[in-house]
Amino acid sequence: MNRLLYVCLDGLGDDPIPELDDRTPLEAAQTPFLDSLAQRGRTGTVVTVGEGIAPESDIAVFAILGYDPRDEHPGRGVVEAVGVGMDFRDGDLAYRVNFATADWPRIVDRRVGRDLTSDEAAALADEVNRTLRLPNATFELRATVEHRGVLVIRSNEATLSANVTNTDPAYRKEGHLGVALETFEPEVARCEPLDDSEAARRAAALTNAFVEDSAKILDASEVNAARRRTRKLPGNLILTRDGGDARPNLTPIRDRFGPEWGCFVEMPVERGIAVLLGMAPVDAPRLMTEADYSTWARLAADALDGYDALYIHIKGPDVPAHDGRAEDKRDVIELIDRAFFGEVLPMIDPARTLVAVTADHSTSCVRKAHTPDPVPLVVSGAGVTSDGSESYGERACARGSLGPLRGVEIVPRLAGLLRR
């Protein structure tokens, strides 16, 4: 059987940028290796979750791996709790959280200026864990990467329901789906129950108590005092979003689609998805430098000898897009093309390896947010003939023979090609 290298470039799609001659960062980037895949293969576009939905990465990754998030996603909090190995049981309430900056109740910065270190966040989390007490409940706050974290609350009285609203105003909860909002009021939102159950009312009350009382502890923390002395924003608020209250019972990806899967991931959310779907995470360094991308390329080529399929999730393009830095996003895409694809493609056998590259969502540098726009897809390599595509970009791929696809359609098609 052929092998699959399946790469997701986080937040890759974008709007045309006036400063880039009305090209997107991907279209403006010099990407000879991605373009070569397009020229040898077939292209199309993907709406990862659904028309009009600007998805968060977790539900989009579920979809592009062949799992419909409307039916099978447990909530991002659960995914991230699993990803970092926290003690989570059905009936607990797990949230993805951000350390943020507030002049209560106004939110000054949802990500603490993007310069809160992982060590600082861990110290802040430890202080909250030591100091805060909730009525008839326990909790664990775990800092993960930089401003990101996970919160698990457990009631001593009864179960909790995740059918509650977010306190992070930048995201709306729609069932199990987390939907990013382009515009929002920058104030701490109050957690409200979405049904009349005691479990939801209890969850909302505990969430509000945690957010309000932890903010007082964080505001007085010496970590934040030190940040203020150096004119940095304090991480004096914790915003909660996308709660979950049960671990899902999912069909492993091997049983659903056939291949034995490994994965390379950077963030806890992707590691949690890998664990829930029965993928084997491959140890790899966090992507910080060009050398790290080259290391991932070598590790990926080696890992393809041990797995039928390898899923690789690269965060790079998403971060500068959230800050509106179009030229930096272009440069990151060029770096990925040069240091990852430029290294890995010569090391794999194109006659035996199917290569697919897409994204989980578009992140607009103009709107500084996730958008519902389609993302580009290329499929090249084993058994795939050229459809005449010239390059890998949003508008070029829209003309490709694969046409418009839904996220959940990608992996079934790839699995069919592998079995040829």
Side-chain angles (χ1 to χ4, degrees), residues 305-337:
D305 290 331
Y307 298 99
D308 303 314
L310 193 62
Y311 173 73
I312 296 183
H313 192 108
I314 296 177
K315 181 73 173 172
D318 185 62
V319 173
H322 276 291
D323 296 333
R325 296 182 282 118
E327 292 182 353
D328 288 347
K329 182 173 181 179
R330 177 202 60 197
D331 294 347
V332 167
I333 294 168
E334 290 184 349
L335 170 62
I336 293 167
D337 185 76

Side-chain angles (χ1 to χ4, degrees), residues 47-99:
V47 172
T48 57
V49 174
E51 295 289 344
I53 295 176
E56 293 188 58
S57 289
D58 55 318
I59 63 173
V61 171
F62 257 70
I64 66 172
L65 289 173
Y67 292 75
D68 191 333
R70 291 178 179 86
D71 302 323
E72 301 180 279
H73 192 273
R76 182 159 184 166
V78 173
V79 175
E80 298 218 14
V82 170
V84 296
M86 294 176 73
D87 181 18
F88 174 82
R89 311 168 196 173
D90 288 358
D92 294 348
L93 178 59
Y95 286 115
R96 157 65 194 270
V97 303
N98 271 19
F99 287 91

Side-chain angles (χ1 to χ4, degrees), residues 111-133:
R111 302 179 182 90
V112 199
R114 282 200 186 276
D115 63 3
L116 186 71
T117 69
S118 297
D119 287 344
E120 286 174 323
L124 292 172
D126 287 345
E127 193 164 352
V128 172
N129 286 326
R130 289 195 316 268
T131 308
L132 178 59
R133 296 294 178 266

Side-chain angles (χ1 to χ4, degrees), residues 158-175:
T159 60
L160 300 174
S161 169
N163 199 24
V164 296
T165 60
N166 298 332
T167 62
D168 188 336
Y171 295 90
R172 181 177 66 249
K173 190 174 181 185
E174 296 183 3

Side-chain angles (χ1 to χ4, degrees), residues 180-336:
L181 303 177
E182 286 188 32
T183 60
F184 56 90
E185 190 67 27
E187 287 192 356
V188 181
R190 187 165 180 81
C191 183
E192 301 288 351
L194 291 170
D195 61 43
D196 196 35
S197 69
E198 184 59 35
R201 289 195 295 271
R202 185 182 302 113
L206 287 170
T207 302
N208 289 323
F210 176 86
V211 172
E212 293 167 14
D213 292 348
S214 64
K216 298 170 186 174
I217 295 168
L218 293 171
D219 202 51
S221 169
E222 177 54 36
V223 172
N224 283 322
R227 287 181 61 83
R228 289 185 178 102
R229 286 194 293 271
T230 58
R231 300 186 180 276
K232 293 180 180 178
L233 294 174
N236 62 351
L237 172 68
I238 295 170
L239 293 170
T240 63
R241 74 178 196 253
D242 303 335
D245 57 28
R247 184 167 177 148
N249 184 20
L250 298 173
T251 304
I253 194 167
R254 178 183 180 181
D255 295 344
R256 182 170 292 192
F257 298 115
E260 185 76 33
W261 288 72
C263 68
F264 288 25
V265 296
E266 288 188 87
M267 296 295 174
V269 63
E270 288 108 33
R271 181 170 288 272
I273 291 170
V275 171
L276 291 172
L277 303 190
M279 293 180 173
V282 178
D283 288 334
R286 188 164 175 222
L287 292 171
M288 302 291 287
T289 67
E290 182 161 346
D292 295 330
Y293 283 96
S294 298
T295 298
W296 271 43
R298 292 190 297 273
L299 291 172
D302 291 343
L304 280 171
D305 290 331
Y307 298 99
D308 303 314
L310 193 62
Y311 173 73
I312 296 183
H313 192 108
I314 296 177
K315 181 73 173 172
D318 185 62
V319 173
H322 276 291
D323 296 333
R325 296 182 282 118
E327 292 182 353
D328 288 347
K329 182 173 181 179
R330 177 202 60 197
D331 294 347
V332 167
I333 294 168
E334 290 184 349
L335 170 62
I336 293 167

